[in-house]
Amino acid sequence: MQTLIYFILVPMVYIAFATFFIGTTLRLVKIFREPKHPATLQIYPEKKPQWLWALHDTFLFPSVRRHKPVLWVFLMLFHICLLLLIVGHLELFAEFEIFQIVPHEVFLGQGYVGLIIAISLLYFLFRRFKSPVRDLSVPEDYYLLILLFLIVVFGSEMDWARRWYGYDVMTVEEYREYLMSLLLLQPYLPEAVTESGHSFMLVLHIFFANLFLIFFPFSQSMHSFLSLPMNKLRRG
Amino acid sequence: MDQKTRDDLLNLFQSKLNEAMRFYLETCTRCGVCTEACHVYASMGQAKYIAAYRAEIVRRLYKKYFKGRGKFWPSVGEAKELTEMAVEELFEAAYSCTGCRRCMVYCPFGIDTQMIMSIAKLLLIGANAEPEILTLLADTSVEKGKSIALFKEGFMDGVKRLEAEVVAKWQTEAGRTAIPVDVEGADLLYVALAGAHSIIPAAAIFNAAGENWTLSFFEAVNFGAFVGDPTKTRLILERIVNEAKRLKVKEVCICECGTAFRVMKQLSGKQPFKVSSITEVHTRYLREGRIKVDKSKLSGPITYHDPCQIARNGGVMDEPRYILQHLTDDFREMTREPKYNWCCGGGGGLVALGEETLDFRMKSARVKVDQVKATGAETLTTACENCHTQLSNLNDHYKMGVEVKFLSSMVADALVR
């Protein structure tokens, strides 16, 4: 058991990050080195400046807002919370003054960020159970949503326990100790991380997150990098 | 399917994989926002007609043969082998799609389903499963480009016979030809379709505007583009490019044909001439006061159908409305925004296939009929040959009771001194 926990918390994290970074880079390089399409792929009417409208389309999903308003609300919530979670996790490595412009306690969001993202994911999942989205979906779509849900639930539970139930065995300092040791390639597991009552949640959170990172470069999640150039093509 | 055939088809697939195509094949999240975008789905309600579903037919082959996942874990994306069955599915997907790109407006990423369908069409050609007639028509066009001398005399005779009708619409000045052909140094080369309706009104308007123009030997329509054969598309296009260069014209004006306009405008590359649609040219004449039209020549409410390849995909949206302002006081829009206008259901070669696709074309365009009816218009006008044929068929089939007219012929009928 100890070996398994060690494997998930140390070597597998390295494997996952390596796959994520190298895989994503190689795939993007491959795609961007293909020859450009010889003609415009624009949709008219044209609005200038095109790059600004492309940014608008990429980050505000105007077509979803117009045609599927409920989905749009959840999509916006999900993606905004995703950004906040990335910030929150960076703060588990060390203090970043820039993020404290809006003063907050680490982990940010008082537990609600995770809650909102979990609800959004359930909405995305359940809407796939109904036609016509059901007819379009392939296993990948379900796997990714389930995987993300598991990551979020186990991750958030640790946060919720500290925030809402006063469970204070695992502290921010201990996360920082663990994560910085990984970053500095001198892996060290503080006792609270492996031995406390909630460490199984941490292990599962990291396990599923590792799986997600490994799958990322080969999945439709690549839309996070491709959406902007595609929207630019449509804007001309 | 034997290994050799499959390898050949996969090579064709590979030839289509440029940067944009990779974007489109990698990205779809199957979110379903495009569901309501397709007129075929909106009219017939079957999931196989949703844009993302069509694209997935091609994407499954991509996942099988062009992604590592296809070897290690094909089931995760429902990757599919290229079999006879798959070819049938490709046919169904490609030839029920008109390439109108309305779904591209809906997609949060802007995936171009028409472009993905171009893979399907190319694979069908490779598998000898494309609609033969389109290939035959494309070959005829290519052949005509190679041996123009053979066609020249018959063409000239045909044009001569039309001249009287042009003069009947607009009296040309003494000593000027009603339909000039092969004039070196003309300002404008007009590329028409094989058919008097595409030549007579246009010629009358050019003459009325005092344009220094000349008629192309070639018909504008590009059957290579309909059947999805990139080589033939280019050969058919180059006939006109070469003619324009030989005659040293400043402008090439494409008749009312959506595909011809988009191919010429977007695929001809950098050339010493500019490319315009006839609608743009007529708008210019009106703006500059080179022609005058009389509103009293037309009566009743008029609506305009935006041809997909000219409007949403070609950018000509304001011009037809400007012309219509001069033709009527009762113009009625079909949609709030032209880019959301429904496709007529006749594009992508479907109209060219005639009777064969008639039943499907009528069923798949019910939403278009509802849209036209809702305007209460008596005249339905458009600026594309395919759209005109399809809308006329719809008019007969659904007893819409409208008159379907070309915009250019309405301009010609309303010309005044």
Side-chain angles (χ1 to χ4, degrees):
Chain A
M1 197 61 194
Q2 283 306 318
T3 330
L4 186 64
I5 290 177
Y6 181 81
F7 174 75
I8 292 170
L9 292 184
V10 181
M12 195 183 175
V13 175
Y14 284 126
I15 294 170
F17 272 90
T19 317
F20 172 74
F21 283 114
I22 299 171
T24 306
T25 313
L26 289 181
R27 304 230 51 226
L28 288 177
V29 167
K30 184 179 165 89
I31 294 170
F32 284 103
R33 281 182 64 184
E34 292 278 6
K36 299 269 179 281
H37 190 70
T40 178
L41 289 164
Q42 203 171 350
I43 289 280
Y44 295 88
E46 186 173 285
K47 281 195 194 170
K48 289 190 170 164
Q50 283 121 323
W51 61 268
L52 195 63
W53 284 104
L55 285 172
H56 162 260
D57 293 352
T58 307
F59 293 104
L60 298 176
F61 327 138
S63 73
V64 187
R65 187 176 63 218
R66 182 164 173 157
H67 302 291
K68 297 265 191 272
V70 181
L71 175 62
W72 181 79
V73 170
F74 283 106
L75 277 179
M76 283 314 274
L77 287 174
F78 173 81
H79 285 95
I80 292 168
C81 290
L82 201 62
L83 278 180
L84 292 176
L85 285 185
I86 292 172
V87 172
H89 280 84
L90 285 175
E91 287 182 313
L92 285 184
F93 279 89
E95 265 178 60
F96 289 88
E97 270 175 44
I98 185 154
F99 294 141
Q100 286 295 346
I101 293 175
V102 183
H104 61 267
E105 197 184 319
V106 177
F107 197 94
L108 60 68
Q110 302 185 352
Y112 289 105
V113 179
L115 187 64
I116 292 170
I117 224 169
I119 292 170
S120 310
L121 283 165
L122 284 181
Y123 173 76
F124 297 151
L125 188 61
F126 288 138
R127 73 185 284 279
R128 286 201 187 269
F129 292 167
K130 202 168 135 272
S131 274
V133 191
R134 179 195 178 130
D135 304 309
L136 301 174
S137 302
V138 300
E140 169 183 0
D141 307 328
Y142 297 102
Y143 293 162
L144 280 171
L145 288 173
I146 294 169
L147 199 51
L148 283 171
F149 182 74
L150 290 171
I151 297 169
V152 170
V153 161
F154 287 116
S156 299
E157 270 178 333
M158 292 183 283
D159 196 24
W160 297 336
R162 279 194 305 126
R163 292 291 178 147
W164 299 341
Y165 300 102
Y167 182 86
D168 59 356
V169 174
M170 276 197 271
T171 61
V172 172
E173 279 61 45
E174 274 144 345
Y175 286 120
R176 284 186 179 157
E177 220 176 331
Y178 161 57
L179 290 172
M180 279 313 278
S181 78
L182 283 181
L183 192 66
L184 300 171
L185 304 178
Q186 292 161 337
Y188 163 70
L189 295 176
E191 207 163 297
V193 167
T194 51
E195 300 297 330
S196 75
H198 273 188
S199 60
F200 79 98
M201 285 186 192
L202 179 76
V203 173
L204 286 172
H205 174 68
I206 291 183
F207 174 70
F208 290 123
N210 287 341
L211 287 185
F212 177 73
L213 287 176
I214 291 169
F215 189 37
F216 186 100
F218 315 103
S219 74
Q220 48 124 307
S221 308
M222 288 292 279
H223 74 253
S224 32
F225 296 103
L226 299 178
S227 182
L228 183 59
M230 289 172 77
N231 270 302
K232 181 68 178 58
L233 284 181
R234 172 167 57 180
R235 283 290 176 179
Chain B
M1 186 179 291
D2 58 79
Q3 195 55 44
K4 169 87 173 62
T5 319
R6 183 173 297 129
D7 289 346
D8 289 347
L9 291 181
L10 292 176
N11 282 336
L12 287 176
F13 200 128
Q14 175 84 51
S15 75
K16 287 295 232 179
L17 291 179
N18 58 29
E19 183 199 66
M21 192 67 95
R22 291 260 187 199
F23 289 165
Y24 297 149
L25 289 171
E26 291 282 347
T27 305
C28 182
T29 58
R30 291 157 291 271
C31 65
V33 174
C34 59
T35 304
E36 280 83 28
C38 180
H39 62 281
V40 187
Y41 179 78
S43 298
M44 299 171 76
Q46 285 159 278
K48 61 178 175 180
Y49 297 131
I50 299 172
Y53 194 99
R54 292 174 197 283
E56 205 62 23
I57 305 264
V58 174
R59 201 175 279 121
R60 281 176 186 168
L61 300 173
Y62 176 75
K63 288 188 236 186
K64 175 76 192 171
Y65 298 103
F66 298 96
K67 276 182 83 117
R69 259 168 55 173
K71 287 191 192 68
F72 301 115
W73 197 10
S75 68
V76 69
E78 291 181 0
K80 206 162 178 175
E81 267 188 49
L82 183 52
T83 57
E84 306 286 347
M85 255 307 264
V87 172
E88 275 173 43
E89 280 185 346
L90 289 172
F91 188 94
E92 164 103 56
Y95 284 96
S96 63
C97 172
T98 58
C100 73
R101 306 212 302 168
R102 192 169 184 270
C103 46
M104 194 169 170
V105 179
Y106 281 64
C107 178
F109 309 113
I111 295 176
D112 185 344
T113 312
Q114 184 191 32
M115 194 157 138
I116 297 180
M117 287 302 108
S118 76
I119 295 182
K121 288 191 165 183
L122 188 60
L123 293 186
L124 288 169
I125 295 173
N128 290 318
E130 87 281 17
E132 238 170 85
I133 181 150
L134 292 181
T135 297
L136 281 174
L137 288 165
D139 288 341
T140 313
S141 299
V142 173
E143 207 45 52
K144 191 172 167 185
K146 283 186 203 151
S147 43
I148 184 169
L150 289 175
F151 296 89
K152 205 166 178 174
E153 206 172 318
F155 181 80
M156 293 300 232
D157 285 348
V159 166
K160 273 275 164 281
R161 280 196 295 274
L162 295 179
E163 284 190 337
E165 287 180 67
V166 176
V167 174
K169 279 197 189 295
W170 189 268
Q171 185 62 50
T172 40
E173 285 159 44
R176 292 202 66 167
T177 337
I179 307 179
V181 183
D182 216 14
V183 182
E184 203 179 306
D187 289 331
L188 180 144
L189 175 70
Y190 176 58
V191 194
L193 290 170
H197 67 279
S198 170
I199 299 174
I200 295 166
I205 298 166
F206 286 133
N207 293 339
E211 183 67 78
N212 177 16
W213 70 291
T214 181
L215 179 67
S216 170
F217 279 119
F218 303 108
E219 69 289 342
V221 60
N222 196 318
F223 291 108
F226 282 148
V227 76
D229 187 325
T231 318
K232 286 176 188 164
T233 305
R234 194 145 282 287
L235 285 172
I236 295 171
L237 166 70
E238 272 167 10
R239 303 174 314 163
I240 302 164
V241 172
N242 292 337
E243 187 184 29
K245 283 189 191 154
R246 181 170 59 82
L247 298 177
K248 301 185 185 66
V249 296
K250 299 190 188 88
E251 180 173 13
V252 171
C253 170
I254 304 291
C255 67
E256 290 170 310
C257 173
T259 306
F261 172 62
R262 182 154 170 235
V263 170
M264 190 74 198
K265 175 106 184 165
Q266 300 184 349
L267 283 180
S268 59
K270 216 175 149 46
Q271 298 293 352
F273 52 82
K274 73 168 183 172
V275 178
S276 316
S277 73
I278 189 163
T279 310
E280 291 171 293
V281 172
H282 289 173
T283 306
R284 194 169 71 217
Y285 293 162
L286 280 171
R287 283 220 170 98
E288 293 170 357
R290 288 168 71 178
I291 56 171
K292 287 192 174 55
V293 287
D294 179 5
K295 273 186 189 171
S296 66
K297 298 272 176 88
L298 296 155
S299 62
I302 301 176
T303 187
Y304 176 73
H305 164 75
D306 287 283
C308 302
Q309 308 307 341
I310 292 177
R312 175 164 49 245
N313 303 331
V316 182
M317 293 173 165
D318 298 336
E319 289 83 352
R321 287 163 178 81
Y322 181 85
I323 294 176
L324 282 160
Q325 270 173 28
H326 288 77
L327 291 177
T328 177
D329 288 322
D330 193 357
F331 171 62
R332 307 204 178 159
E333 282 287 1
M334 290 185 188
T335 41
R336 270 191 298 155
E337 289 173 59
K339 74 173 171 183
Y340 278 105
N341 212 333
W342 285 113
C343 171
C344 66
L350 292 190
V351 159
L353 289 170
E355 285 292 317
E356 211 178 298
T357 57
L358 186 63
D359 184 52
F360 174 77
R361 281 193 280 127
M362 295 302 104
K363 284 182 186 152
S364 63
R366 199 180 38 77
V367 285
K368 186 80 226 176
V369 176
D370 294 343
Q371 196 186 29
V372 174
K373 279 185 183 161
T375 64
E378 288 165 21
T379 306
L380 167 57
T381 175
T382 190
C384 165
E385 179 80 14
N386 262 328
C387 299
H388 185 276
T389 310
Q390 164 74 356
L391 292 171
S392 304
N393 290 344
L394 287 173
N395 193 21
D396 296 341
H397 183 84
Y398 287 94
K399 305 199 168 46
M400 287 156 68
V402 295
E403 200 178 345
V404 185
K405 280 186 173 175
F406 283 109
L407 187 58
S408 66
S409 72
M410 285 170 60
V411 175
D413 290 343
L415 279 178
V416 285
R417 296 259 162 204

